[in-house]
Amino acid sequence: EAQVTQNPRYLITVTGKKLTVTCSQNMNHEYMSWYRQDPGLGLRQIYYSMNVEVTDKGDVPEGYKVSRKEKRNFPLILESPSPNQTSLYFCASSLQGAYGYTFGSGTRLTVV
Amino acid sequence: AQKVTQAQTEISVVEKEDVTLDCVYETRDTTYYLFWYKQPPSGELVFLIRRNSFDEQNEISGRYSWNFQKSTSSFNFTITASQVVDSAVYFCALSEAGGGYQKVTFGTGTKLQVIP
């Protein structure tokens, strides 16, 4: 089944403790992207990548890192999480950006 | 800078009523794509449709239809004879050719509640 898999689905962590949210797609898509969803703000793009080793900042990149060492994987790294990063995170992939994205199931992160 | 506005925060309709969700966008690019996504209460995001800036033909898919008007920078979504299963948050989104279509801007979403 074609899908984008994110892990974990839920995560509660403490301020400052480094964490990684994994994202993997099995569709051989070139494009991958991370979004955060907050009430009243919709989805905002954190980082995107059009190919291996090619990443770029979206609208809200502060406090996040990504890497694209393999085509299928695009992990999101929070080096020192803070409470304002409490949010619902989505990873997405697309064959080409103009085609529309397939989204993962989301990761609900709470930073206390 | 690209921008998407969904002015309707929440809409409630009674089942079988028609409902239109508004989407207004801003872009300086002449080449771009517009999208609609659905987020049901279960939380996943589902791609519904995309439309490129050169194709102003309206599209119909079952009870769903989309009206794209470049003159008013709008890409509205109509659900005919709404059903309870249509209850969801709907997002409109825009990506520009200038950014290789990678940079995607979403609206803030419209929550639709269909009352039985």
Side-chain angles (χ1 to χ4, degrees):
Chain A
E1 182 189 352
Q3 59 185 1
V4 177
T5 303
Q6 289 178 235
N7 280 299
R9 290 291 309 274
Y10 301 93
L11 178 60
I12 301 174
T13 190
V14 296
T15 299
K17 185 177 181 182
K18 181 179 179 179
L19 66 92
T20 299
V21 184
T22 62
C23 175
S24 180
Q25 50 95 2
N26 62 1
M27 296 167 280
N28 202 36
H29 283 171
E30 301 282 343
Y31 290 68
M32 296 188 76
S33 189
W34 275 103
Y35 297 84
R36 61 178 287 174
Q37 182 179 5
D38 301 288
L41 297 177
L43 284 94
R44 294 178 292 167
Q45 198 169 26
I46 304 171
Y47 270 95
Y48 52 90
S49 169
M50 65 179 296
N51 213 330
V52 175
E53 303 293 1
V54 180
T55 63
D56 211 341
K57 296 177 181 178
D59 293 321
V60 288
E62 296 79 21
Y64 304 95
K65 284 176 59 177
V66 293
S67 68
R68 189 95 182 270
K69 293 185 170 56
E70 303 168 283
K71 195 174 187 179
R72 63 183 291 128
N73 295 324
F74 192 44
L76 179 69
I77 303 156
L78 284 73
E79 296 267 3
S80 182
S82 63
N84 64 13
Q85 292 179 297
T86 292
S87 187
L88 177 58
Y89 291 87
F90 286 99
C91 179
S93 73
S94 176
L95 186 60
Q96 291 183 24
Y99 284 13
Y101 278 85
T102 300
F103 282 82
S105 300
T107 296
R108 186 164 292 280
L109 172 66
T110 302
V111 183
V112 298
Chain B
Q2 53 192 55
K3 183 179 178 182
V4 176
T5 301
Q6 294 179 257
Q8 305 152 308
T9 306
E10 291 192 39
I11 301 175
S12 289
V13 298
V14 176
E15 200 171 21
K16 297 183 183 174
E17 287 184 345
D18 299 348
V19 58
T20 295
L21 309 182
D22 297 333
C23 173
V24 174
Y25 63 92
E26 294 177 29
T27 177
R28 293 179 183 162
D29 216 320
T30 56
T31 307
Y32 50 89
Y33 275 85
L34 294 160
F35 307 86
W36 276 96
Y37 289 86
K38 175 182 180 180
Q39 186 177 43
S42 51
E44 72 272 23
L45 281 153
V46 179
F47 167 78
L48 293 178
I49 190 173
R50 69 170 183 156
R51 172 66 74 221
N52 78 50
S53 52
F54 298 108
D55 181 3
E56 286 194 74
Q57 265 196 327
N58 291 334
E59 179 149 346
I60 298 174
S61 176
R63 296 183 297 104
Y64 293 174
S65 63
W66 291 268
N67 180 260
F68 176 33
Q69 291 195 341
K70 284 179 79 169
S71 60
T72 56
S73 297
S74 64
F75 186 42
N76 296 337
F77 173 27
T78 297
I79 302 174
T80 303
S82 59
Q83 300 176 1
V84 173
V85 293
D86 297 324
S87 296
V89 180
Y90 291 87
F91 291 97
C92 181
L94 163 72
S95 68
E96 299 170 333
Y101 301 112
Q102 294 187 78
K103 205 165 184 311
V104 183
T105 298
F106 281 77
T108 52
T110 297
K111 184 176 182 180
L112 173 66
Q113 184 178 14
V114 181
I115 303 164

